[in-house]
Amino acid sequence: MAMMRYRDIYALTINKWGERAQYDQAIEECAELIATLQHYARGKVSRDAVIHELADVFLMVGQLTYMLGEDKLTAAVEDKVVKLRHLLEDGD
């Protein structure tokens, strides 16, 4: 997982600006991705613009994971995958 790869930079970022600021930054980056996806769906921005915004959100998710606990996130993702698998199987 990328979490391990970027853990040091996440720690430095949170140490410099604090958790509250990073929560706010995550909200901002998610909002920018939402807006970019809407523009992409209407053909107003390129795929590269989406990738750029997605990279920002990816890094913020990494920081949130670092702050809230990688083990807890992994467990929650596993639960969601099980639910998704059931939904996919029920659709047949």
Side-chain angles (χ1 to χ4, degrees):
M1 181 179 238
M3 178 66 204
M4 300 297 283
R5 182 173 173 197
Y6 302 119
R7 181 174 276 149
D8 292 341
I9 196 75
Y10 296 154
L12 291 169
T13 301
I14 294 160
N15 187 52
K16 181 169 184 166
W17 288 298
E19 287 190 7
R20 180 62 199 173
Q22 295 317 99
Y23 294 137
D24 290 342
Q25 189 67 35
I27 292 165
E28 182 178 324
E29 297 299 351
C30 287
E32 289 175 5
L33 177 59
I34 291 165
T36 301
L37 285 170
Q38 289 173 326
H39 292 310
Y40 181 70
R42 292 190 301 260
K44 294 183 175 186
V45 299
S46 69
R47 186 180 180 103
D48 286 343
V50 174
I51 291 168
H52 177 79
E53 294 303 333
L54 185 58
D56 289 339
V57 171
F58 177 88
L59 291 172
M60 294 313 303
V61 167
Q63 289 179 52
L64 292 170
T65 301
Y66 179 85
M67 289 187 284
L68 299 171
E70 187 173 358
D71 291 342
K72 290 182 179 185
L73 177 65
T74 299
V77 168
E78 291 301 319
D79 289 344
K80 298 287 185 175
V81 167
V82 168
K83 288 178 184 177
L84 180 57
R85 185 172 287 125
H86 289 303
L87 287 171
L88 292 168
E89 290 168 357
D90 290 344
D92 289 343

